[in-house]
Amino acid sequence: MTSGYILIVAILVLGGVIATVGDRIGTRVGKARLSLFNLRPRKTAVLVTIVTGGIISASTLAILFAVSDQLRTGVFELGKIQKNLSRAREDLAKTRVQKNQVEQELTQARAEQVSAQQRLDRINLFLKAAIAKQATTEAQLNRTQTQLGRVEAERARTEAQLDQTQSQLSRAEAEKDRIEDAKDRTEVELNRTQTQLSTVSQQATGLRSEIDRLDNERQNLIKETKDLEIQQANLEKAVQTLQRYYQYYQAQYETLRQGNVALFRGQVLSAGVVRIVSPTGAQQAIDQLLREANRNAIKLTRPGTGQVSEQIIQITRPEVEQLVDQIEDGRDYVIRILSAGNYVLGEKSVQVVASATLNQVAFLSGDVIAAASVDPSTLTEADIQKRIELLLAATEFRARGAGVLTEGVQIAANGPSVTAILSFAEQLKQYRQPLDLKVVTTGVIYTAGPLKVELLAIQNGQVVLSTSRDIPRPNRPQPNSSPSPQPNNATPNPNNPNNSVTQEDANFEFQHSDPYPGKAPNSKPSDVSPSPFVSPDDL
């Protein structure tokens, strides 16, 4: 405040001094009747006074602009500041929308974690009951084996008695003429002994059957126990995966709170399905994907800059060489260029990593990916829609576990997926009995995707409702088979999971999968130069 007062006083004093000097000069010029520019002396004095006033204004503005940065900025950069403020407000609105989306995904992940924990607790209870039942069965088996031993011993004694009786019968037959009465008694004893032997044999057979049945039950219990242990392990893995997702979304949420994020960690910048057919094709395919990733990174971090030839992505040379060695075996690979971190608008460099995954069959046509039961009579239409959304989320979760890299689920329907789901939920509401909902693949799903499925409602083993009324059922190929080679012209490829365009030359076959639709690569593989995409530390 003190410096402001001093500045005002100085301007007033300076203006007064300059005005006084100007007036004196004008007076002397008038008295001396001087003439400038062939003007009359009076007009010359007026001109000197006007120039003096201009000097006062110029000096005042010069002092203000020299001393006050805020005044200088407000006068010369006010329009630019208003544009930046408007742009910042738009970015803030987008960031809030993204924040709400991340919070919704975080809530959903927490709900799935709680559900998985509940299922794990139920399985633990079933496992304890099965172990107790197994112990009871083993004890019963031991008792039965002990009883069988006693029966065997009794049978041995009975056979010994039979042998003794037969000896007596032989002696009785030899003395038949002399002791008829003894013969009759011996025959009666023999009949009674044979009856006892038959009874003992039947008991032994029944005990053996009982032992076999108990052995089968024991094996079944052991098998069920192993299955429960496997299910428990799978649920534990699912819980760990959900925890990782929770941590990941929490980190993304914290990043969103700190600034305007243009690129997220793990975001796909370019992708494609590649098959290498010559030694030089691997480097050319990787170069093409890296150039496309560089273009997409520039468009995301520097929106509105137009065509920029600057390289902003960085990847180490050893990582590129390792990727080349991995894909040179002639098989189909899904190659993705991913952002290695979170980057805000205006970043000068973006670190990326490359991922190569074998493109193989993840699901066959008609496979059931997820299933659930629903009773429309006890639920509202909104509840049914939530059940369907949870079922689709479980479908995407299991697809990721099976190796499918694409995000999202495509619903096979005659119209938009959202309309098909809403219509499916409305038709489900008309049923008054429990139904089984299943998510079934409509074709062969490869690692590269897409995950295209249909929703089925089944009642008593019969399909009563479907999102697609007439879906062809192709022959089921053998599992783990790679897609067949593509044609030599650039036409839509039916075996390409991304329904993209295949580019081929003598070096490699490239099935392009652009994460940003409508921006297909504009260079042929044969025009590719050696890879420039290495970080400065590796040069």
Side-chain angles (χ1 to χ4, degrees):
M1 293 298 292
T2 303
S3 60
Y5 293 143
I6 295 174
L7 178 62
I8 292 172
V9 171
I11 291 173
L12 294 175
V13 172
L14 180 61
V17 171
I18 295 175
T20 302
V21 172
D23 182 65
R24 294 290 180 86
I25 293 173
T27 302
R28 290 185 179 183
V29 170
K31 289 180 178 181
R33 302 186 65 79
L34 297 178
S35 178
L36 296 177
F37 306 111
N38 295 324
L39 298 174
R40 297 177 63 184
R42 183 178 180 181
K43 293 184 177 180
T44 301
V46 172
L47 177 62
V48 170
T49 304
I50 291 173
V51 171
T52 304
I55 293 173
I56 294 173
S57 300
S59 61
T60 302
L61 291 175
I63 292 173
L64 290 176
F65 288 156
V67 174
S68 176
D69 291 338
Q70 295 179 351
L71 180 60
R72 185 169 59 251
T73 302
V75 172
F76 295 106
E77 298 182 2
L78 180 60
K80 184 178 179 180
I81 291 173
Q82 289 178 346
K83 290 181 180 179
N84 291 336
L85 179 61
S86 177
R87 190 181 300 108
R89 288 174 178 173
E90 293 177 357
D91 294 340
L92 177 61
K94 293 179 180 179
T95 302
R96 287 176 177 173
V97 172
Q98 294 176 355
K99 174 185 175 183
N100 293 333
Q101 293 176 354
V102 170
E103 288 178 348
Q104 292 176 359
E105 293 176 355
L106 179 61
T107 302
Q108 183 178 358
R110 287 175 175 172
E112 292 178 355
Q113 181 180 6
V114 173
S115 177
Q117 184 64 39
Q118 293 176 354
R119 291 196 299 269
L120 179 61
D121 294 338
R122 290 197 298 270
I123 289 175
N124 286 332
L125 293 177
F126 292 155
L127 181 60
K128 292 179 180 179
I131 292 174
K133 185 176 180 181
Q134 180 183 0
T136 304
T137 305
E138 289 180 351
Q140 185 177 359
L141 178 62
N142 293 330
R143 290 193 302 270
T144 305
Q145 289 177 346
T146 303
Q147 185 178 1
L148 178 61
R150 292 196 298 268
V151 171
E152 290 290 345
E154 185 177 355
R155 178 183 176 183
R157 289 194 300 271
T158 304
E159 290 178 350
Q161 291 177 0
L162 178 60
D163 294 339
Q164 183 179 2
T165 304
Q166 288 177 347
S167 299
Q168 294 175 357
L169 179 61
S170 299
R171 290 194 299 270
E173 288 178 348
E175 299 177 355
K176 181 180 179 180
D177 295 336
R178 291 182 292 111
I179 38 177
E180 288 291 340
D181 295 337
K183 175 183 176 182
D184 294 336
R185 290 194 301 270
T186 303
E187 288 178 353
V188 172
E189 184 68 23
L190 177 61
N191 291 332
R192 186 173 62 254
T193 304
Q194 288 178 347
T195 302
Q196 293 177 357
L197 179 61
S198 176
T199 302
V200 172
S201 298
Q202 292 177 358
Q203 292 177 355
T205 303
L207 289 174
R208 287 194 181 94
S209 300
E210 183 68 17
I211 290 172
D212 293 338
R213 185 181 63 79
L214 292 175
D215 285 337
N216 292 332
E217 290 182 357
R218 181 173 178 272
Q219 295 297 327
N220 292 333
L221 287 174
I222 293 174
K223 183 178 180 181
E224 291 178 358
T225 302
K226 292 181 178 179
D227 292 340
L228 291 174
E229 291 175 351
I230 294 173
Q231 292 179 4
Q232 181 179 359
N234 292 334
L235 288 175
E236 290 176 353
K237 292 180 180 178
V239 171
Q240 294 175 359
T241 303
L242 289 174
Q243 290 176 348
R244 289 196 298 269
Y245 282 159
Y246 170 76
Q247 294 172 359
Y248 170 76
Y249 287 123
Q250 185 68 23
Q252 296 298 329
Y253 174 72
E254 293 296 333
T255 304
L256 286 173
R257 292 180 59 188
Q258 295 175 1
N260 298 327
V261 180
L263 281 176
F264 294 97
R265 182 189 302 274
Q267 182 172 346
V268 180
L269 295 177
S270 66
V273 181
V274 176
R275 178 186 298 170
I276 304 304
V277 296
S278 72
T280 60
Q283 186 66 57
Q284 293 177 358
I286 294 173
D287 289 343
Q288 181 170 339
L289 289 172
L290 289 174
R291 275 198 302 276
E292 183 180 351
N294 190 69
R295 289 195 299 270
N296 290 330
I298 292 175
K299 292 176 182 178
L300 292 174
T301 57
R302 304 174 186 177
T305 56
Q307 297 293 333
V308 180
S309 59
E310 178 186 0
Q311 174 190 334
I312 67 170
I313 67 170
Q314 293 185 356
I315 186 172
T316 61
R317 190 183 301 276
E319 187 173 357
V320 174
E321 294 175 352
Q322 180 183 2
L323 183 62
V324 170
D325 295 337
Q326 181 180 355
I327 67 176
E328 282 183 339
D329 57 1
R331 294 188 291 178
D332 289 351
Y333 283 91
V334 181
I335 301 179
R336 300 187 299 166
I337 307 301
L338 310 171
S339 172
N342 298 321
Y343 296 95
V344 298
L345 293 174
E347 288 283 354
K348 296 182 179 179
S349 64
V350 176
Q351 190 72 29
V352 298
V353 295
S355 170
T357 306
L358 189 63
N359 190 30
Q360 58 186 2
V361 175
F363 297 101
L364 299 176
S365 176
D367 282 351
V368 178
I369 302 182
S373 297
V374 62
D375 189 356
S377 61
T378 61
L379 300 175
T380 63
E381 186 172 337
D383 294 334
I384 294 176
Q385 292 178 6
K386 290 182 180 179
R387 288 287 183 90
I388 295 175
E389 291 175 357
L390 290 176
L391 189 62
L392 294 178
T395 300
E396 185 176 0
F397 179 79
R398 187 185 172 195
R400 287 185 180 179
V404 179
L405 300 179
T406 55
E407 297 182 355
V409 180
Q410 296 184 11
I411 304 298
N414 297 327
S417 299
V418 177
T419 305
I421 293 175
L422 293 177
S423 176
F424 188 80
E426 291 177 358
Q427 296 179 26
L428 274 180
K429 184 59 180 174
Q430 299 175 1
Y431 289 86
R432 297 301 177 185
Q433 295 181 357
L435 299 173
D436 293 331
L437 299 183
K438 292 185 179 181
V439 180
V440 182
T441 59
T442 60
V444 179
I445 307 298
Y446 294 93
T447 303
L451 184 59
K452 193 170 184 179
V453 298
E454 65 173 336
L455 283 171
L456 299 179
I458 300 175
Q459 185 178 38
N460 298 326
Q462 298 294 328
V463 178
V464 296
L465 192 59
S466 171
T467 54
S468 178
R469 294 185 179 275
D470 187 11
I471 299 177
R473 300 295 184 183
N475 294 329
R476 296 165 66 93
Q478 294 298 325
N480 298 329
S481 61
S482 297
S484 59
Q486 310 301 321
N488 290 327
N489 54 351
T491 58
N493 177 10
N495 290 331
N496 183 4
N498 296 307
N499 195 18
S500 58
V501 174
T502 303
Q503 299 178 353
E504 296 187 5
D505 63 1
N507 296 327
F508 67 92
E509 300 172 2
F510 182 79
Q511 303 170 6
H512 182 68
S513 175
D514 196 343
Y516 308 99
K519 306 179 180 62
N522 52 12
S523 62
K524 294 291 291 180
S526 58
D527 299 331
V528 179
S529 60
S531 174
F533 295 97
V534 294
S535 61
D537 298 336
D538 296 328
L539 296 178

